[in-house]
Amino acid sequence: MIAQLRSTHSRSRQLITHCCKPAVLPVFIIITLGAFIACRPPELETAVQQTTYPAADGLQGKVFTGYQGWYRTPTDGTGLGWEHYETIQETFVPGEVGIDYWPNVSELGDAILYDTPFQHADGSVARVFSSVDPVVADTHVRWMKEYGIDGLFLQRFAVDVVGFHHQSDLLLPSNNRILENIQAAANRHQRAFAVMYDLSGMPTGEMQRVMDDWKDLNDQDDLLHDPAYLKQSGRPVVAIWGVGFSDGRKYTLEEVSELIAFFKHDPKYGGCAIVLGVPTYWRSLDRDAVSDPAFHDLLREADVVLPWYVGRFGGAERALELEAELYGPDATWCRENNVDYLPVIFPGFSWANRYAHKNMPFDHIPREGGQFLWSQAVAAKRGGAEMLYIAMFDEMDEGTQIFKISNDPPVGESRFLTYLPHPPDFYLRLSGKIGELMRNEIPATNPLPLLDESTTDEK
């Protein structure tokens, strides 16, 4: 429905613009337009009247989260099987599974849930969701609003959508559906959303395909003029992730510079503010970062620097030390070079099930009951960060999710982590407190803030 409203909104905006020109209009056009404005739904009324929702107006003082939206099921119509629920070997059965937590599906409704080969302790069939269902997107964005998360960066893997994945013909349409679902949900709940292109796996000489994909998205969904689309200094935000890593990527810094120039200066599809997702040691140009000084020149072309810290360290005490080692010096560099600083924080890390063939450890970076995530937020705030990005909202593959999970996961051959003794929404509540921290509503103290943990929703 909202997709239809969005299309109608675009057409009505064109009509209104045309009708405001000094001209004599036929009476039937005036009557029709007046009737349309009088009866349009509340979502459309807000979208027409408001240029940008408050949550989407700038990054400062806010908390955003990364959204994968990559879970699929064999009968959801995408043709992608148990995508991201399965192992690397594409199996999803007890003893072979690709997630370390089990999703909480209690608010989604039976009609959109999918039976799995797994069972809960009471013998009931364990069920999961598909990310392509609009109810799933709406529920997740509603949670963001309810718990005080300002918005999301929707991950868009370039190789999946521009033709370099062996299933690109299936991934492109389903990823587009998810983007439209997120767009509708963000407008309904007045949360921000933005596209993040992950360049991982892209070959050299193919950035034009990414540019063409952005053109297609805007021709279809008019992202640049959407009131829920994230703006920074009044400009629509586009994130480019995977820049400057020392892991042998084939695309060059020069190619990324050309992509930035397109997003910033294209007369029809440009005018954007650029977020660059970079390695942890981007400032010192070592370890996980390339040693090329031209990388720093590239960063100055961007508007926001987003360093990727996931999996690089563990422990709440260690996180607090990063105020002096990373957050503070990183924030200083950004201020001195006129770019904003958007550090990534994460709640923990575990991908033992997905990479069981490599004997990856279970609960590799423990969450410490939320203290690890909170300590990163405190250290970043003390170091000068004015905005934060939590990785991730829904990534159960690596155990970094903050959304509601089941504290009653399936039993049997596969092991799953839970949030116990905390309730399923604990990390959403904590993320809301981190938002209060960034808005200077609560102090940056080492102990966890008090949270209301009253809930009975375990599945």
Side-chain angles (χ1 to χ4, degrees), residues 112-113 118 249 274 287 290-292 327 338 343-344 369 372 395 409 415:
I112 65 165
L113 297 180
F118 297 81
R249 295 170 185 244
I274 306 300
R287 291 193 257 189
V290 295
S291 59
D292 188 347
Y327 301 128
N338 199 32
V344 172
F372 178 55
E395 188 162 351
R415 292 191 300 168

Side-chain angles (χ1 to χ4, degrees), residues 44-354:
L44 182 55
E45 180 72 33
T46 302
V48 170
Q49 291 182 354
Q50 191 161 358
T51 303
T52 301
Y53 300 130
D57 187 12
L59 290 151
Q60 276 74 13
K62 294 177 181 175
V63 172
F64 296 85
T65 184
Y67 192 87
Q68 296 289 12
W70 59 14
Y71 296 102
R72 308 287 190 272
T73 68
T75 56
D76 65 3
T78 65
L80 291 166
W82 292 110
E83 183 80 2
H84 280 278
Y85 286 116
E86 63 195 8
T87 64
I88 294 295
Q89 293 78 22
E90 299 185 354
T91 54
F92 185 58
V93 295
E96 298 181 65
V97 59
I99 54 176
D100 279 22
Y101 290 80
W102 197 266
N104 186 305
V105 297
S106 60
E107 297 180 42
L108 296 179
D110 293 342
I112 65 165
L113 297 180
Y114 300 85
D115 290 350
T116 74
F118 297 81
Q119 289 187 340
H120 294 287
D122 63 2
S124 62
V125 174
R127 297 184 293 177
V128 296
F129 64 81
S130 169
S131 298
V132 298
D133 195 291
V135 174
V136 171
D138 188 79
T139 300
H140 290 170
V141 176
R142 172 172 58 81
W143 287 346
M144 294 178 198
K145 182 175 184 179
E146 290 175 353
Y147 292 93
I149 299 169
D150 293 285
L152 65 97
F153 283 81
L154 179 61
Q155 312 302 294
R156 192 167 178 86
F157 290 85
V159 293
D160 291 354
V161 298
V162 302
F164 292 114
H165 191 283
H166 70 282
Q167 291 183 306
S168 287
D169 59 328
L170 301 175
L171 288 165
L172 176 60
S174 67
N175 281 322
N176 287 351
R177 284 171 58 191
I178 289 166
L179 173 57
E180 292 179 353
N181 292 343
I182 288 293
Q183 183 178 22
N187 275 280
R188 185 176 299 115
H189 300 293
Q190 296 191 17
R191 297 293 91 184
F193 77 104
V195 171
M196 176 177 284
Y197 280 104
D198 187 329
L199 301 182
S200 301
M202 280 290 288
T204 187
E206 297 293 348
M207 289 301 168
Q208 184 60 50
R209 297 199 188 202
V210 179
M211 300 177 198
D212 290 343
D213 181 72
W214 178 248
K215 293 176 183 178
D216 290 342
L217 291 182
N218 279 280
D219 289 342
Q220 296 164 12
D221 301 311
D222 197 19
L223 302 180
L224 293 172
H225 302 102
D226 192 299
Y229 196 84
L230 179 62
K231 312 294 191 307
Q232 179 71 345
S233 300
R235 293 175 292 150
V237 171
V238 179
I240 305 170
W241 194 92
V243 180
F245 285 79
S246 61
D247 55 3
R249 295 170 185 244
K250 295 180 179 179
Y251 51 89
T252 66
L253 297 178
E254 291 77 10
E255 289 179 272
V256 175
S257 180
E258 293 173 3
L259 185 59
I260 292 174
F262 163 76
F263 284 127
K264 296 187 89 167
H265 304 302
D266 186 86
K268 182 176 181 181
Y269 301 98
C272 299
I274 306 300
V275 175
L276 283 189
V278 300
T280 299
Y281 299 99
W282 60 273
R283 179 175 42 82
S284 54
L285 299 177
D286 57 15
R287 291 193 257 189
D288 61 349
V290 295
S291 59
D292 188 347
F295 181 28
H296 282 180
D297 294 333
L298 182 67
L299 295 179
R300 295 183 184 97
E301 297 176 18
D303 300 276
V304 184
V305 171
L306 182 145
W308 189 251
Y309 301 134
V310 175
R312 301 297 196 267
F313 55 86
E317 292 185 7
R318 175 64 182 137
L320 290 172
E321 295 172 355
L322 298 179
E323 174 191 350
E325 293 182 25
L326 285 178
Y327 301 128
D330 283 1
T332 297
W333 189 98
C334 288
R335 283 194 301 271
E336 291 175 350
N337 289 274
N338 199 32
V339 294
D340 288 314
Y341 177 51
L342 177 60
V344 172
I345 62 175
F346 64 107
F349 191 91
S350 182
W351 60 4
N353 285 332
R354 188 167 182 80

